[in-house]
Amino acid sequence: MKVGIIGCGAIANIIASTIVPEDNNIDIEYFYDNDVERAENLASFANGVAVLDLNDMLDKVDLVLECASPDSVKEHAPNVLSHGIDMIIMSIGAFMDKEFYSKVNDICKKKGTRIHLPSGAVVGLDGIKAVADFNLEEVNLVTRKSPKSLGKDIDEEEVLFEGKASEAVKEFPLNINVAATISLACNQDINVKIIVDPNVDRNVHEITAKGDFGEFKTTTKNFPCSANPKTSMLAALSAIKLLKSFNESITVGL
Ligand SMILES: NC(=O)C1=CN([C@@H]2O[C@H](COP(=O)(O)OP(=O)(O)OC[C@H]3O[C@@H](n4cnc5c(N)ncnc54)[C@H](O)[C@@H]3O)[C@@H](O)[C@H]2O)C=CC1
Ligand SMILES: O=C([O-])CC(=O)C(=O)O
């Protein structure tokens, strides 16, 4: 499987340095970034090709992996999918825009293409998906990150946001894609609280869900990526596992 990447930052670097093409039948070969130097650096490390125009990779790849920004998804996904190419998308916040969701969904149906949204930096999506249609009363996400991760200069814990996921992704597009992932998994605009906490050095996500099935709570205490403290290592690892799973005959979990 030949893969092209949009966005050559923290997640892309972890993925490209972890996937061994010979072992996994996955060849990450084309790299695009609006910062050309980043695309060239990663292409050179991965023995791949940096492209100046995304269209230059579209007749050569089987899958495009987006790890850039929600805006980049809106800019490029319709074009990629219209070329009949599947996508893995990390900047899931883009899908909270209902008009955009419906537009790309229509393209996928027409072209027979698929979009994969990895579980990213949280655990518990399997459970949320399983119970989504069974009177799921309430889903809440509390995210706690350090001042460094949230780009704040404060000494005391502070609630930066409290409201719905659809609003959270607008105010914090590069920090709370997980809220969109959970919302899409259960078809609800979930409740989100974002706290900046000088006493944590992890990106912490706590999910609580309650409904006819009972209730559950998951807590993920992620190490941030060294190249981008907003982003957790787990986000990159989930995309790597998803890529590898395309070669598996037997899949475990949802
Ligand atoms: N789904 C999830 O659980 C998670 C999603 N994310 C999201 O994944 C994305 C990538 O994260 P990182 O690698 O940490 O970001 P990063 O900031 O380290 O790298 C992003 C790269 O994309 C490039 N870029 C930005 N906009 C672009 C555009 N319109 N066209 C082409 N290139 C563009 C930047 O120049 C940069 O090199 C972000 O949107 C982030 O918010 C991050 C963590 C968890
Ligand atoms: O990586 C994380 O911990 C979460 C994150 O940035 C996002 O959801 O955008």
Side-chain angles (χ1 to χ4, degrees):
M1 179 171 60
K2 282 214 188 304
V3 178
I5 286 193
I6 303 175
C8 301
I11 291 179
N13 273 272
I14 294 169
I15 294 172
S17 56
T18 307
I19 297 265
V20 180
E22 304 78 47
D23 290 356
N24 300 300
N25 191 25
I26 298 162
D27 195 357
I28 305 178
E29 206 170 315
Y30 294 91
F31 298 86
Y32 173 74
D33 198 299
N34 54 11
D35 178 335
V36 179
E37 207 179 324
R38 285 185 171 209
E40 284 174 351
N41 285 344
L42 192 53
S44 140
F45 168 81
N47 290 322
V49 179
V51 294
L52 293 177
D53 182 336
L54 185 66
N55 286 303
D56 292 343
M57 66 162 85
L58 296 187
D59 58 349
K60 302 185 181 90
V61 297
D62 305 302
L63 181 128
V64 168
L65 165 57
E66 177 280 334
C67 29
S69 64
D71 283 349
S72 80
V73 176
K74 292 195 170 173
E75 193 182 337
H76 298 300
N79 183 28
V80 174
L81 297 163
S82 296
H83 275 77
I85 300 166
D86 291 351
M87 294 189 79
I88 294 178
I89 290 178
M90 297 306 300
S91 306
I92 298 169
F95 289 86
M96 292 305 281
D97 175 341
K98 287 187 177 143
E99 216 173 288
F100 176 75
Y101 183 105
S102 145
K103 179 177 163 178
V104 290
N105 198 25
D106 287 349
I107 298 174
C108 285
K109 288 211 166 103
K110 205 162 135 199
K111 291 285 176 179
T113 45
R114 298 193 72 180
I115 300 172
H116 306 272
L117 306 177
S119 50
V122 285
V123 295
L125 280 176
D126 50 353
I128 287 178
K129 281 175 74 176
V131 302
D133 297 331
F134 295 93
N135 291 328
L136 184 56
E137 284 161 31
E138 195 183 293
V139 183
N140 305 296
L141 168 70
V142 178
T143 288
R144 195 176 279 273
K145 290 189 180 183
S146 68
K148 195 173 162 201
S149 288
L150 283 160
K152 295 278 164 189
D153 185 16
I154 54 119
D155 300 325
E156 283 190 15
E157 177 178 320
E158 192 183 316
V159 175
L160 292 183
F161 177 88
E162 201 162 5
K164 291 292 177 186
S166 53
E167 288 304 314
V169 298
K170 286 185 199 153
E171 283 191 41
F172 297 88
L174 301 179
N175 262 304
I176 201 77
N177 288 283
V178 288
T181 318
I182 301 164
S183 293
L184 294 167
C186 65
N187 216 5
Q188 287 185 22
D189 197 0
I190 66 159
N191 304 312
V192 178
K193 194 190 258 193
I194 302 174
I195 300 167
V196 56
D197 184 345
N199 299 310
V200 296
D201 57 3
R202 311 275 180 96
N203 293 333
V204 183
H205 304 290
E206 196 174 274
I207 303 172
T208 50
K210 205 165 137 186
D212 279 3
F213 73 99
E215 52 191 281
F216 71 71
K217 177 172 173 179
T218 74
T219 305
T220 317
K221 296 183 178 176
N222 290 304
F223 286 126
C225 295
S226 51
N228 180 4
K230 290 180 172 53
T231 290
S232 301
M233 278 292 296
L234 180 62
L237 300 181
S238 82
I240 291 167
K241 181 60 197 170
L242 177 59
L243 271 169
K244 288 183 178 177
S245 74
F246 295 148
N247 290 318
E248 291 168 354
S249 306
I250 299 176
T251 52
V252 182
L254 280 174

